[in-house]
Amino acid sequence: MAIKYELIKVCKQSGARLGKIHTPHGVIETPIFMPVGTQATVKAMTPEELKKIEAQIILSNTYHLYLRPGHKLVEKAGGLHKFMNWDKPILTDSGGFQVFSLGDLRKISEEGVEFRSHIDGSKHFLSPEKAIEIENSLGADIIMAFDECAPYPADRQYVKNSLERTTRWLKRCIDAHKYPERQALFGIIQGGMYKDLRHQSLNEILSFDLPGYAVGGLSVGEPKDLMYEVLEYTTPLMPKDKPRYLMGVGSPDCLIEGVIRGIDMFDCVHPTRIGRNGTAMTSIGRVVIKNAKYAEDFMPLDPNCDCYTCKSYSRAYIRHLFKAGEILASRLVTYHNLHFLLNLMKEIRQAIMEDRLLDYRREFFQKYGYTL
Ligand SMILES: O=c1[nH]cnc2cc3nc(NCCN4CCOCC4)[nH]c3cc12
């Protein structure tokens, strides 16, 4: 088996789970947040810095690496781990989501999707077989099936047709997968915001015995409460002995709410993307550092944080770096934001261990300024 999920404990206060995923590149403690390294780098971070903040697994994008530098080149380099000098677990998505959201989508058919590259406009075709070929070349420990993430909103019939095609595509992914013993293929549950369609997709995807499953089709612009509602009638029907991955999530409140609803794995570009724009996630809410009010503020970004950025620099200095267009600006706030989310997950794991996750949520929300 490419990976083994070990369920350690279920929180008495909620559906939250504490677990471990054993992979060929090491163990992942769940619930976990996966920093996104789209083009074989978590932007502005070195692998050593990622290890310093205790990142346990990172995500890379198949669509981007196929277009540039090409999956065959990465394979020649010895695979993604060697190419990017990251010896811990890696997860790659299948590229489907990026094609729908980035590429100039030309047409979608039973065979796959034809699109133009967002880099040079060149024409390409991605199918379940092609996606798996690319992911096999990249060599990630966990690879995602080629699916369609239905847009939001979308009408019932479209969502039904789309989820049924995603199921047919999953079968083709399984048949095309060359290394099931060392790369764990996860299926992705679709079904939009329709309870009956979610259950149909769940039954179809779970009919394939896979090492893990993702909840797709969420974090696509729907209200957060709607996302929580879909999770409430989806995760309880997922296998307890397999990891559950909520794709594209997210912000601190969504991470806590997702864990409470039984999710084990999360990824989002949020902390790194807003970090590069100078927005810091702190224990007392967001700090938009370019704001003039920080010009002579010699406090750390987050007075309650013990990360390198917060121990070494002031808000005034970091604001100066952004105003001066210095590269270090992005690095310091990215470093802090990732540390903030990874530390949040560590505190969540501790709260599950002590059966006090709902208390933790209340305390965090009060400090962070969320409303329950
Ligand atoms: O069904 C899916 N299948 C395969 N990959 C996905 C990736 C996904 N990513 C999001 N949301 C990401 C939303 N981001 C939030 C931050 O800003 C960029 C977009 N939702 C997603 C759904 C899927």
Side-chain angles (χ1 to χ4, degrees):
M1 198 69 148
I3 64 161
K4 178 92 191 75
Y5 176 69
E6 182 192 349
L7 176 59
I8 293 170
K9 177 184 170 66
V10 179
C11 176
K12 289 193 174 56
Q13 279 192 343
S14 69
R17 299 137 46 96
L18 196 62
K20 282 194 168 98
I21 304 174
H22 299 269
T23 83
H25 283 89
V27 181
I28 303 158
E29 295 168 298
T30 61
I32 190 75
F33 175 77
M34 302 182 282
V36 175
T38 296
Q39 302 186 107
T41 160
V42 176
K43 290 183 176 16
M45 291 289 101
T46 64
E48 286 68 27
E49 287 163 347
L50 289 170
K51 287 181 180 173
K52 188 91 175 69
I53 57 176
E54 299 178 34
Q56 300 189 34
I57 173 172
I58 60 168
L59 186 143
S60 251
N61 288 125
T62 296
Y63 166 86
H64 292 80
L65 294 172
Y66 158 70
L67 289 178
R68 183 177 54 192
H71 60 296
K72 290 295 177 200
L73 184 147
V74 176
E75 191 167 19
K76 272 192 205 136
L80 200 44
H81 288 88
K82 202 151 173 352
F83 190 50
M84 69 182 292
N85 184 34
W86 176 258
D87 61 2
K88 289 175 172 288
I90 297 176
L91 180 148
T92 48
D93 66 3
S94 66
F97 184 79
Q98 272 66 32
V99 167
F100 289 109
S101 57
L102 268 180
D104 173 4
L105 184 66
R106 311 304 294 166
K107 91 167 166 284
I108 174 170
S109 66
E110 183 63 23
E111 186 50 25
V113 289
E114 188 187 290
F115 65 96
R116 282 194 183 284
S117 158
H118 73 288
I119 298 171
D120 60 12
S122 55
K123 221 165 161 181
H124 298 269
F125 190 79
L126 205 47
S127 65
E129 292 78 12
K130 186 66 183 177
I132 294 299
E133 175 202 318
I134 298 165
E135 292 186 272
N136 281 164
S137 295
L138 298 176
D141 303 274
I142 299 174
I143 64 174
M144 303 310 292
F146 186 74
D147 66 330
E148 182 191 358
C149 172
Y152 173 79
D155 68 51
R156 253 188 74 82
Q157 198 52 52
Y158 182 90
V159 172
K160 183 169 172 52
N161 295 339
S162 170
L163 82 85
E164 290 167 352
R165 181 163 54 204
T166 285
T167 300
R168 293 192 296 274
W169 282 357
L170 174 57
K171 174 77 174 69
R172 288 167 54 187
C173 288
I174 293 167
D175 293 345
H177 186 15
K178 288 194 294 188
Y179 312 118
E181 73 292 342
R182 68 168 192 259
Q183 292 183 278
L185 173 64
F186 279 23
I188 304 174
I189 296 160
Q190 294 294 344
M193 312 303 158
Y194 301 95
K195 187 171 185 176
D196 60 330
L197 298 184
R198 279 282 167 186
H199 288 165
Q200 178 188 343
S201 179
L202 193 132
N203 291 331
E204 292 178 5
I205 299 299
L206 296 188
S207 73
F208 299 97
D209 178 24
L210 294 169
Y213 301 93
V215 180
L218 291 176
S219 187
V220 286
E222 78 281 9
K224 288 181 179 179
D225 286 342
L226 186 48
M227 175 170 79
Y228 302 154
E229 185 189 328
V230 171
L231 291 178
E232 279 155 16
Y233 59 68
T234 301
T235 53
L237 301 174
M238 295 172 78
K240 294 198 173 1
D241 62 341
K242 306 269 177 81
R244 303 154 176 181
Y245 167 23
L246 176 56
M247 305 185 84
V249 173
S251 51
D253 53 335
C254 292
L255 292 175
I256 296 175
E257 298 291 4
V259 168
I260 286 171
R261 292 164 178 80
I263 296 292
D264 306 304
M265 299 163 71
F266 302 86
D267 86 274
C268 191
V269 295
H270 203 72
T272 38
R273 178 174 294 177
I274 65 171
R276 291 194 302 281
N277 291 329
T279 298
M281 308 163 107
T282 81
S283 54
I284 45 175
R286 285 184 166 200
V287 169
V288 181
I289 200 63
K290 285 186 260 188
N291 190 312
K293 68 181 176 185
Y294 299 117
E296 298 191 4
D297 183 338
F298 299 106
M299 292 275 287
L301 264 187
D302 183 344
N304 304 317
C305 178
D306 64 354
C307 86
Y308 165 68
T309 296
C310 293
K311 284 192 303 193
S312 315
Y313 307 100
S314 69
R315 289 167 176 175
Y317 176 69
I318 296 170
R319 179 176 181 277
H320 156 66
L321 292 180
F322 271 100
K323 301 301 272 184
E326 284 294 342
I327 296 167
L328 184 60
S330 293
R331 282 177 41 72
L332 293 179
V333 181
T334 298
Y335 186 100
H336 166 78
N337 281 357
L338 286 177
H339 172 271
F340 179 84
L341 278 194
L342 291 166
N343 190 58
L344 170 65
M345 298 315 286
K346 190 187 284 187
E347 291 180 352
I348 286 173
R349 293 195 294 267
Q350 192 58 36
I352 297 171
M353 183 59 91
E354 299 165 1
D355 288 317
R356 56 174 181 78
L357 184 58
L358 297 188
D359 302 328
Y360 177 81
R361 173 176 64 174
R362 188 178 53 257
E363 292 149 20
F364 185 87
F365 277 26
Q366 273 161 1
K367 270 197 312 184
Y368 204 76
Y370 286 119
T371 49
L372 257 178

